[in-house]
Amino acid sequence: MISYKSYFDYLSQRSRLGLLYRKHWLYPKLTKVIDGRTLDVGCGVGDMLSFRHNTTGVDVNPHAVAWCRSQGLEAYEMAEDVLPFGDCAFQSVILDNVIEHLYDPEVLLSQIRRVLEPGGVLVVGVPGQCGYAFDSDHKVYYDEVKLIEVISKAGFTRSNVMHLPLPIPGLGRWLRQYCLYGVFVRNI
């Protein structure tokens, strides 16, 4: 397993082009489907936190949390699979490129369901084949069918699926930045 410091260093090496893509293409699309107080689970270096006000971050990596806080962002360290927030505290949750790092996301998804108000929106992003193969810490590959199945089983209903940056069949096999984003609504 890679150390938290090494993984933080890896996350910090994002390219200028990657940051521009997130700020001007990805995040504007994702923020169209979320509303209200938002939780970014696995916030990493805080790109979404700095992009969107009213967003709180949480991460298991103490280096990532310390970095976010040093930038004036609201971020908290979490124990594995335990979100440090009360029930129904958020109107939306983003889980971007996180569940592929877990053999079984069931406990984390139940925690997300707990902190998300009924009818709230959960956005889950997972890498395509090329991005999945690029990171040695990835444990489970999700295609669209598997993603919908796992999130639905946790008490959410699919609202939409987005293939980004472009909905081109097979793009995920060649483009590392390609991701599948599922938009789900918490069942009551």
Side-chain angles (χ1 to χ4, degrees), residues 51-172:
F51 179 80
R52 183 181 182 273
H53 297 292
N54 207 19
T55 302
T56 300
V58 66
D59 207 299
V60 296
N61 189 324
H63 300 282
V65 172
W67 167 256
C68 290
R69 287 183 175 174
S70 76
Q71 302 303 301
L73 303 171
E74 184 181 1
Y76 301 92
E77 190 173 341
M78 65 178 277
E80 190 171 316
D81 292 333
V82 179
L83 295 175
F85 305 103
D87 295 354
C88 303
F90 297 92
Q91 288 76 48
S92 53
V93 174
I94 296 176
L95 190 61
D96 191 5
N97 284 267
V98 173
I99 65 169
E100 68 276 5
H101 293 272
L102 308 172
Y103 285 115
D104 183 2
E106 183 178 334
V107 175
L108 179 60
L109 290 171
S110 71
Q111 282 285 300
I112 289 171
R113 190 171 192 287
R114 179 185 64 76
V115 302
L116 185 62
E117 68 181 24
V121 174
L122 168 63
V123 178
V124 183
V126 292
Q129 294 167 320
C130 184
Y132 177 80
F134 185 79
D135 190 331
S136 63
D137 191 54
H138 289 166
K139 296 172 177 59
V140 178
Y141 174 74
Y142 290 88
D143 62 11
E144 187 172 335
V145 171
K146 184 170 184 158
L147 178 65
I148 293 168
E149 176 185 303
V150 167
I151 306 301
S152 296
K153 182 180 172 189
F156 298 87
T157 300
R158 179 187 72 135
S159 173
N160 189 18
V161 174
M162 300 179 285
H163 300 261
L164 296 171
L166 299 168
I168 299 173
L171 187 62

